[in-house]
């Protein structure tokens, strides 16, 4: 099974 | 004072169609370089990044940087009132709480203006690191839309597997399984029909169909789409808007539990 990750975990907050 | 004019409203309509299914509202950041928009969808699974360069507009003036929060449903209602061939001008005063859309018919005999209230949106800008992608695939945008549509019948996820031989899209579910393989085109008459693959390392990644299908709403903007992939990082789906800019969608991969 796969789970959907959040895009926020890949990019840093400016 | 901010003023941006495009000679055909159809371009702005297509841009809005490309983002309004993913985003309910968004901030348009205007500067003398042009208009930028960066926003995540409600579920924070994907990110939309839109760039419209000032030199792509038929007239562009932006005296002071301006952030305009817009409800995209309201903007869509307004743009429906424009004919595709109308000239469209967006205008706002500095520190204004409204934006005006003005539509002018080709024969200049009908002029309409619509004023829309702006919103104060909490913006969360994310820094997107420069990445050297393992695989970059360019293919006809219509073909990509067709593949996403076809495969979404078979499962919620699409596995994109790219090697130097080609790119394979797969889905499976209750009905069974589906595989679509595209080879790099050897020779084509028209550049927009080409499939090209630049591969450093093969990749295989899983993505949610729902988002891929939402991205393909940008298909009318561009003949070709570019998919950039590396292991364990978001997919980038890029549509170049001729002479004006680009729209990029970033989608977090699905990972094994």
């Amino acid at each position: 099974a796969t789970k959907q990750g959040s895009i926020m975990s890949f990019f840093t907050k400016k | 004072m901010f003023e941006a004019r495009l000679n055909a409203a159809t371009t702005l309509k297509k841009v809005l169609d490309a983002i309004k299914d993913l985003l309910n509202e968004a901030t348009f950041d205007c500067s003398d370089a042009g208009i930028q928009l960066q926003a995540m969808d409600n579920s924070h699974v994907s990110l939309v990044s839109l760039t419209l360069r000032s030199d792509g507009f038929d007239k562009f003036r932006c005296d002071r940087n301006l952030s305009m929060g817009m409800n995209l449903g309201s903007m869509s209602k307004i743009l429906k009132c424009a004919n595709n061939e109308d000239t469209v001008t967006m205008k706002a005063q500095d520190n204004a709480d409204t934006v005006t859309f003005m539509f002018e018919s080709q024969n200049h005999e009908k002029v309409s203006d619509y004023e829309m209230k702006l919103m104060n949106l909490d913006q969360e800008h994310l820094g997107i690191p420069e990445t050297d992608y393992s695989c970059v695939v360019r293919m006809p945008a219509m073909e990509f839309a067709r593949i996403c549509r076809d495969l979404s019948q078979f499962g919620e996820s699409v596995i994109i597997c790219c090697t130097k031989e080609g790119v394979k899209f797969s889905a499976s579910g209750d009905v069974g399984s589906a595989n679509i393989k595209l080879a790099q085109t050897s020779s084509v008459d028209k550049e927009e029909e080409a499939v090209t693959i630049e591969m450093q390392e093969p990749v295989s990644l899983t993505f949610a169909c729902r988002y891929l299908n939402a991205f393909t709403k940008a298909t009318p903007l561009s003949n070709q789409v570019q998919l950039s992939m590396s292991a364990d990082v978001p997919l980038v789906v890029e549509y170049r808007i001729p002479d004006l800019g680009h729209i990029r969608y970033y989608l977090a991969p699905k990972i094994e539990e």
Side-chain angles (χ1 to χ4, degrees), chain B residues 144-159:
Chain B
F144 180 62
R146 178 66 199 260
I147 289 169
C148 293
R149 193 190 72 188
D150 289 351
L151 289 186
S152 58
Q153 301 185 99
F154 297 92
E156 289 178 2
S157 304
V158 171
I159 301 169

Side-chain angles (χ1 to χ4, degrees), chain B residues 35-168:
Chain B
I35 300 175
Q36 290 262 5
L37 177 156
Q38 194 206 73
M40 284 183 283
D41 72 275
N42 285 339
S43 315
H44 291 188
V45 169
S46 68
L47 179 111
V48 181
S49 174
L50 169 73
T51 297
L52 304 174
R53 292 188 314 268
S54 52
D55 59 26
F57 287 84
D58 297 291
K59 181 181 177 188
F60 194 92
R61 175 181 166 188
C62 185
D63 302 335
R64 293 176 66 179
N65 290 1
L66 184 70
S67 288
M68 298 193 290
M70 299 197 203
N71 178 302
L72 299 185
S74 305
M75 188 177 168
S76 180
K77 281 181 189 170
I78 290 172
L79 285 180
K80 276 195 187 124
C81 304
N83 286 317
N84 284 343
E85 310 76 36
D86 286 355
T87 296
V88 55
T89 308
M90 284 187 284
K91 278 187 207 177
Q93 300 296 327
D94 294 340
N95 304 316
D97 55 4
T98 61
V99 59
T100 299
F101 294 87
M102 191 180 88
F103 307 134
E104 194 175 355
S105 65
Q106 276 185 311
N107 61 14
H108 310 292
E109 284 169 4
K110 179 181 174 187
V111 178
S112 348
D113 62 81
Y114 299 84
E115 193 181 68
M116 186 175 84
K117 290 175 193 146
L118 294 174
M119 310 167 76
N120 259 326
L121 300 174
D122 275 336
Q123 318 189 59
E124 204 166 30
H125 276 281
L126 298 178
I128 301 165
E130 282 288 318
T131 307
D132 285 327
Y133 288 95
S134 301
C135 293
V136 177
V137 178
R138 289 185 58 75
M139 70 166 89
M142 293 268 278
E143 185 68 82
F144 180 62
R146 178 66 199 260
I147 289 169
C148 293
R149 193 190 72 188
D150 289 351
L151 289 186
S152 58
Q153 301 185 99
F154 297 92
E156 289 178 2
S157 304
V158 171
I159 301 169
I160 306 178
C161 183
C162 186
T163 63
K164 64 178 185 302
E165 280 78 40
V167 56
K168 185 174 78 169

Side-chain angles (χ1 to χ4, degrees), chain A residues 1-8 10-14, chain B residues 40 44-45 124-127 232 252 254-257:
Chain A
T2 54
K3 69 169 184 198
Q4 179 66 64
S6 160
I7 196 81
M8 290 174 80
F10 296 95
F11 300 143
T12 50
K13 280 184 195 175
K14 267 187 190 170
Chain B
M40 284 183 283
H44 291 188
V45 169
E124 204 166 30
H125 276 281
L126 298 178
D232 306 321
K254 285 185 152 189
I255 43 176
E256 289 293 333
E257 276 189 286

